[in-house]
Structure formats: C-alpha cells, structure tokens
C-alpha cells in the first residue's frame, strides 16, 4: 500500500439488483423479451418472478438491472437508482446479498459487483440502458441462461439457494 | 452508463478482515500496542480475541488488517494476502461478511470495503503497513474505539451483533 489513494488502481465498482415482483402474476406477460415471450409453468412456481433486462450496451444480452456506482454515492442508493432508471420500478425493502469479485466476471475489465435483493410492485418497463425489462421465473429461465451476461447465472443460482435453503453464497 | 469501462470513475475497492484468534488466551499478551498493553477482563469474555493493527500509513490509528484489492485479484485472495502481510497469520475458514460503501468512510477518498471473517492460530506480528499487530477483546475495546480508523468501530459493532444475535448488518 505504497501508492496514494487517488493513484491507486483497483477494480471498478458496480451494483446489481434482484427485484422480486410481488404482484408478478398480474404483470408477468406485461413485458417480454423483444423476440420472444417468457412463459411461466404454473405447476412449477416456487419463488416470485424477478426482473431481468435486455442490455442496450456491450456486453449485449440479458442481465439483472444494475450499473456503476458513482463517486460519492452509497452502493444501496446506486442500486435503487439503477432499478428506477432501467425498469421504472421503485424498489422497497432492499438488502445487501453478496459481493462478487472474480476478475473474469465482467468482460469489460475487472469489476466487483455488490448484489442487492429488493421487492417491487408493478410492471417493469425497459428504459435508459435497458432495451426491455421483463419478469422471469428464476427457477425456470428456459433458454435465457445462455443469454445471461457477466456472472448473473451464478448470482441467480446463489439467490435461489438462499431463498430455498437460507444458505449464503460461498463464491469468493 | 455512457462512459467506457476503463474511463469510468468509481470508488476504490479495499478489503478488511476480522481474524478470530482461536488460541487467543495463550497469545493475548504476546503483542500489544506500542505505547500500552491491551488487557482482557476474564469475567467478561464472550467472543474470541480479534486482531487489530497500528497503521504505519495515513490515516494513522488502529484498524482491522486490510488493504487495496489489485486488478485481477479476487477480494477473498486480497484479504488472505493482507492478513499474512500485516499480521503474519495464515487465516482459515474465511467467509464474506458485509460490504461497506458510505462515501465518508475513508478519509482518503471514496472507497468501498468488503469485510471478511476468518480464523487463525498463533501470535500476530505487525509487518508491512502495520507497525504492530495485537489481539483485542472486541467487546471490550477500552480506549481503542477513539483510535479506530475508517468505519471500523461500526464494522466491529456489526460483527459483535452478528456473532451474538445472528443478525447481518443493515448499514450500507
């Protein structure tokens, strides 16, 4: 730790947010991927629907809502801001889940992400950096898993394990 | 999110580590602050001793071991590395605790810190950025609280609440 703080190179900091849509049953078909609908198989539903977005920027694909933390901004505030900007949803009951730090997790360069879990009510709508925003069944992502950017397939798997078994991620 | 990843300014990333010394009773007087001894009041002991350091660099004071995460390094590896560099202890059973992100928490500039909890055996010895390393009773920090740098008084309070009540921090 010989370099000054300002000159020190560290990973970038982002946030991602898992938004559980409490009235997802009414809103699940309100939005969808631009090229296909997301369907829920009623018999298999265990957890509420969560919000995913189609990214406008690189890397292209599907992801949890999120973005960079600004200097001077708390990460929790960045997560609330990004949720609103990208999905138009105002989230509530937001809690920190886990921080992911693997160097390979972001193809743009090394970035750590602080992941939050929150709830919202209503129909997500893709805006800002999101082409679309839609509700997906986390336990039945169908063909979406291959489209998930970053380490978000792992994050969602960890989230499911946490909700079903109460176990926190051991990743990192 | 219009700027490229490389040009994006975000907070710096550090790690801090709470090292529970399993054989602290044998080692508690092995090291101490340079100007005074840390004493344990046997009757009040509830949690194992944890390792603190006296910082060589600014800000001067007492702190949990820790430091900057390097580009290309996982945060957990940075925490293990800093523990070894600053205290000579090889930690085991390391787990992520919580990430602290308030803009005011680091006087050098906005930095987020990912805090880990781990265990170790042996006598800590201050090296590298640590003038001294010593074992303190987290529930009886005596005059040390005023010397604690960053938000480490809050981190230790959250750690105590977690160990005693199983509650995770709500601080962001």
């Amino acid at each position: 730790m010989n370099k000054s703080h300002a000159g020190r190179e560290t990973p970038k900091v982002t946030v991602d947010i898992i938004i559980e849509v409490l009235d997802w049953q009414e809103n699940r078909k309100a939005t969808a991927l631009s090229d296909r609908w997301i369907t829920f198989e009623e018999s298999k539903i265990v957890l509420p629907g969560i919000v995913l977005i189609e990214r406008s920027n690189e890397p292209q694909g599907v992801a949890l809502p999120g973005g960079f933390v600004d200097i001077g901004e708390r990460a929790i505030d960045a997560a609330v801001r990004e949720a609103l900007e990208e999905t138009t949803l105002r989230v509530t009951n937001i809690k920190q889940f886990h921080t992911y730090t693997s160097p390979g997790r972001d193809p743009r360069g090394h970035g750590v992400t602080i992941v939050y879990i929150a709830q919202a009510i209503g129909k997500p709508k893709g805006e800002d950096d999101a082409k679309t925003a839609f509700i997906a069944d986390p336990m039945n992502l169908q063909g979406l898993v291959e489209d998930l950017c970053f380490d978000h397939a792992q994050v969602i798997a960890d989230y499911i394990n946490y909700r079903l078994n109460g176990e926190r991620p051991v990743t990192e």
Side-chain angles (χ1 to χ4, degrees), chain A residues 26-167:
Chain A
E26 292 90 69
N27 292 298
R28 61 189 155 161
K29 287 201 172 166
T31 53
L33 273 172
S34 41
D35 60 347
R36 60 187 187 275
W37 291 93
I38 302 302
T39 56
F40 287 73
E41 292 183 53
E42 299 282 354
S43 61
K44 294 183 180 171
I45 290 166
V46 179
L47 293 172
I50 64 170
V51 180
L52 296 177
I53 63 157
E54 275 187 291
R55 293 174 51 81
S56 310
N57 301 323
E58 291 297 326
Q60 299 273 324
V62 172
L64 295 164
F68 289 101
V69 178
D70 291 330
I71 303 272
E73 180 182 43
R74 294 188 312 164
I76 194 171
D77 297 328
V80 170
R81 173 178 60 71
E82 290 285 351
L84 183 63
E85 287 175 2
E86 295 190 340
T87 75
T88 75
L89 294 176
R90 290 179 191 279
V91 299
T92 183
N93 192 27
I94 182 167
K95 291 197 172 67
Q96 197 181 107
F97 177 49
H98 194 70
T99 301
Y100 293 79
T101 73
S102 284
R105 56 168 301 284
D106 188 330
R108 301 168 300 183
H110 191 183
V112 308
T113 193
I114 309 165
V115 178
Y116 291 85
I117 299 173
Q119 279 95 46
I121 286 175
K123 183 174 101 171
K125 184 168 172 292
E127 288 195 353
D128 193 50
D129 298 331
K131 257 187 284 192
T132 63
F134 61 95
I135 300 173
D137 177 356
M139 300 199 56
N140 184 22
L141 291 174
Q142 306 172 46
L144 281 181
V145 173
E146 292 73 45
D147 296 333
L148 281 169
C149 298
F150 313 114
D151 52 358
H152 289 184
Q154 179 68 52
V155 172
I156 294 169
D158 287 348
Y159 157 76
I160 292 169
N161 188 43
Y162 173 62
R163 277 293 185 236
L164 298 186
N165 305 315
E167 292 168 8

